[in-house]
Amino acid sequence: MNIFRLTGDLSHLAAIVILLLKIWKTRSCAGISGKSQLLFALVFTTRYLDLFTSFISLYNTSMKLIYIACSYATVYLIYMKFKATYDGNHDTFRVEFLVVPVGGLSFLVNHDFSPLEILWTFSIYLESVAILPQLFMISKTGEAETITTHYLFFLGLYRALYLVNWIWRFYFEGFFDLIAVVAGVVQTILYCDFFYLYITKGGCSARVAPTVRSSLGQLSSPGTASRSTAASEKHFHY
């Protein structure tokens, strides 16, 4: 494992912990998209089914279990324990516009037409767009709390570091997964405007860039298992 993948994993974990702590300490899930968290829970569930079929390493297995547990814990806090604070009026992104096309694409474009491989591919495609409900929710309110922006920053940093990880692996290991790379690039692009805002505003609570608000508004308006030891690691992240 190279340093870029390790720091990417830690950035991802930091994002999840930041979100959980924010909800627990404030006893509120205001400003957080429950729909995005449901999509992430679905991502981890479909990606890590290989926990039942293969063992790569203690680190790999532990991180998979942590991500699954944290994702469902977040969903529980939003939709059950602190349901009264959930802002469903602003969390209105039409997730079927993501899940249905992604499901169809995973059947058409995958590495191997087998149940686990299709579900892994589905998780890769879905993760690339799972943050859209959260970004759309921020675009509707025009603002994001400081903790929420930290969460998004570390989530975006995780994907950016994984892009560097793929470049490293291509040059030093000869490994390249087109599906994972393309999906990762798409996901990173979605964070570009947010990264700019986060850096220029010093990571503080701030209004959302107009370009993000307009593009997301148009997009979601209701009206308008493994082939080899190296390849098996893809079921952790990528």
Side-chain angles (χ1 to χ4, degrees):
M1 178 186 299
N2 61 68
I3 188 63
F4 302 110
R5 175 172 172 177
L6 178 61
T7 52
D9 292 341
L10 294 178
S11 295
H12 195 185
L13 185 59
I16 294 173
V17 171
I18 286 172
L19 188 64
L20 277 172
L21 288 179
K22 183 268 184 190
I23 297 175
W24 189 257
K25 286 187 174 182
T26 63
R27 318 296 286 182
S28 170
C29 54
I32 299 173
S33 169
K35 291 185 176 181
S36 270
Q37 297 310 311
L38 280 172
L39 291 179
F40 281 124
L42 181 58
V43 165
F44 295 137
T45 302
T46 54
R47 180 174 304 173
Y48 300 147
L49 290 173
D50 66 321
L51 280 168
F52 299 104
T53 63
S54 61
F55 177 81
I56 298 173
S57 68
L58 180 60
Y59 171 81
N60 185 285
T61 298
S62 299
M63 293 298 279
K64 288 177 180 179
L65 292 174
I66 289 172
Y67 287 133
I68 292 173
C70 288
S71 66
Y72 280 100
T74 304
V75 169
Y76 167 77
L77 293 179
I78 294 174
Y79 286 102
M80 297 187 71
K81 190 169 183 63
F82 302 123
K83 182 179 180 180
T85 65
Y86 171 55
D87 187 9
N89 292 328
H90 286 126
D91 193 15
T92 57
F93 193 97
R94 304 285 295 276
V95 293
E96 62 269 28
F97 291 161
L98 302 179
V99 176
V100 174
V102 162
L105 186 61
S106 63
F107 272 92
L108 297 174
V109 184
N110 52 66
H111 294 303
D112 180 52
F113 199 76
S114 63
L116 280 181
E117 190 67 31
I118 291 174
L119 287 171
W120 175 83
T121 305
F122 171 81
S123 76
I124 294 296
Y125 293 151
L126 184 60
E127 186 186 17
S128 69
V129 293
I131 198 62
L132 280 176
Q134 179 67 67
L135 295 178
F136 179 61
M137 186 176 185
I138 293 175
S139 77
K140 290 193 70 175
T141 61
E143 296 181 346
E145 293 183 14
T146 301
I147 297 299
T148 307
T149 61
H150 292 337
Y151 162 71
L152 290 172
F153 174 77
F154 279 102
L155 207 56
L157 181 61
Y158 138 65
R159 293 315 308 182
L161 287 168
Y162 255 73
L163 287 179
V164 182
N165 162 64
W166 293 323
I167 295 173
W168 176 278
R169 295 199 66 186
F170 177 73
Y171 279 104
F172 293 97
E173 301 176 20
F175 181 84
F176 182 76
D177 190 319
L178 183 61
I179 289 177
V181 170
V182 171
V185 170
V186 170
Q187 187 175 0
T188 305
I189 289 174
L190 291 178
Y191 289 95
C192 285
D193 277 341
F194 174 79
F195 272 144
Y196 173 78
L197 182 66
Y198 184 93
I199 293 172
T200 56
K201 298 297 182 181
C204 296
S205 175
R207 299 196 66 82
V208 178
T211 54
V212 176
R213 300 184 65 182
S214 61
S215 60
L216 287 174
Q218 292 173 3
L219 177 62
S220 27
S221 172
T224 39
S226 311
R227 294 178 298 280
S228 65
T229 301
S232 68
E233 293 183 357
K234 74 182 188 312
H235 291 283
F236 174 34
H237 269 114
Y238 282 0

